[in-house]
Amino acid sequence: MPTCEGIREDFIECLLGSECVVINRNSVSDCARNKELADTVPNQCMLLRQSLFDCKRGLIDMRR
């Protein structure tokens, strides 16, 4: 069964290196969920977030 673990790990690593976590000292969870902090998260992290969402949706959506 395919998993999304690799994308998840890449997303977390990206957030750990972002301005939101390193400089502003927010938690990874806050940076991932809070839309007000989105401007301090790199676009690459946002793309990984969307990829993770699509991966998880693909695991439960059997129409694909």
Side-chain angles (χ1 to χ4, degrees):
M1 175 174 210
T3 66
C4 305
E5 193 62 32
I7 298 171
R8 181 179 174 274
E9 289 174 3
D10 290 344
F11 176 55
I12 292 171
E13 287 297 318
C14 186
L15 285 175
L16 285 171
S18 72
E19 177 184 336
C20 186
V21 173
V22 175
I23 296 173
N24 298 337
R25 302 213 181 260
N26 294 305
S27 69
V28 171
S29 177
D30 287 343
C31 293
R33 292 187 178 131
N34 192 335
K35 292 182 181 182
E36 294 174 0
L37 299 174
D39 59 341
T40 60
V41 176
N43 191 42
Q44 178 185 356
C45 295
M46 299 308 275
L47 292 173
L48 285 168
R49 178 182 180 209
Q50 184 63 43
S51 295
L52 181 60
F53 172 79
D54 292 340
C55 181
K56 286 182 176 183
R57 183 175 57 192
L59 291 176
I60 60 172
D61 187 2
M62 300 312 251
R63 292 179 290 178
R64 291 184 171 200

